[in-house]
Amino acid sequence: MLYGAWNELTEPELQTKLIEIIKFIQKLPDFEIGSQVVAEGIRANFLSYDTAADTEREWEAHRKHIDLHYVLKGNEQIDLAKSTQLSPQPYHEEDDFYLLHGKKEMSVLLSAGQFLLLEPDEAHKTGISIGQSESIQKIVFKIKV
């Protein structure tokens, strides 16, 4: 599934960066928690965690990065909402994130091999269990805009 506005994908710079991510995934190194540079303006954050109830997870959004969540192992629900419909907390410029509070507008379910592309200021709450808690391994690609 790819959800969004068509004009978001027609930007040549984003297309180039997505091609770099595809090449990286095709030659995926061994999974090791941490972060590595993929190319200019793209960082891959390797994450591993257990999913939890939505009440135990937090809303977040970014201003300077597009997030591409790519699941390697496990299943998770990601809740989504327009950040303008939630109550924002202070922005942390150094780490490019801010937390929010409010209610979801929709959810997506991601399994191994699936991805979700989130534009800046698209609020998301990740790591929500589908039924019972399970272990997730994923890469979150941070694409500088």
Side-chain angles (χ1 to χ4, degrees):
M1 175 185 87
L2 183 63
Y3 177 82
W6 185 253
N7 65 338
E8 294 169 351
L9 287 179
T10 59
E11 184 181 315
E13 186 177 338
L14 177 58
Q15 290 176 357
T16 300
K17 290 179 178 179
L18 291 174
I19 290 168
E20 289 296 328
I21 291 171
I22 291 167
K23 289 178 186 176
F24 181 84
I25 290 171
Q26 289 172 337
K27 297 185 264 180
L28 198 61
D30 290 337
F31 186 87
E32 187 175 323
I33 295 172
S35 183
Q36 61 181 274
V37 174
V38 173
E40 178 75 29
I42 307 169
R43 178 168 291 284
N45 295 328
F46 289 75
L47 307 173
S48 179
Y49 54 83
D50 292 332
T51 59
D54 68 335
T55 54
E56 297 177 37
R57 306 301 295 173
E58 292 192 277
W59 285 102
E60 69 174 57
H62 314 282
R63 292 186 181 161
K64 299 177 186 173
H65 291 89
I66 293 169
D67 270 7
L68 190 150
H69 294 249
Y70 179 68
V71 177
L72 296 167
K73 175 186 168 200
N75 305 284
E76 73 175 333
Q77 175 178 312
I78 298 179
D79 287 350
L80 305 168
K82 293 181 183 115
S83 59
T84 56
Q85 301 300 311
L86 303 176
S87 302
Q89 301 301 304
Y91 176 63
H92 302 271
E93 186 160 353
E94 185 175 315
D95 296 319
D96 183 39
F97 81 94
Y98 57 102
L99 300 177
L100 305 103
H101 297 286
K103 299 198 180 289
K104 71 178 179 179
E105 292 178 14
M106 64 182 289
S107 299
V108 296
L109 305 179
L110 293 183
S111 298
Q114 294 182 317
F115 71 94
L116 176 66
L117 184 73
L118 297 162
E119 289 284 324
D121 293 310
E122 287 186 316
H124 49 287
K125 188 192 290 190
T126 64
I128 300 170
S129 56
I130 305 167
Q132 60 186 11
S133 178
E134 66 178 289
S135 245
I136 294 287
Q137 286 185 344
K138 70 191 278 186
I139 305 170
V140 178
F141 294 93
K142 298 293 198 174
I143 306 167
K144 190 166 178 65
V145 292

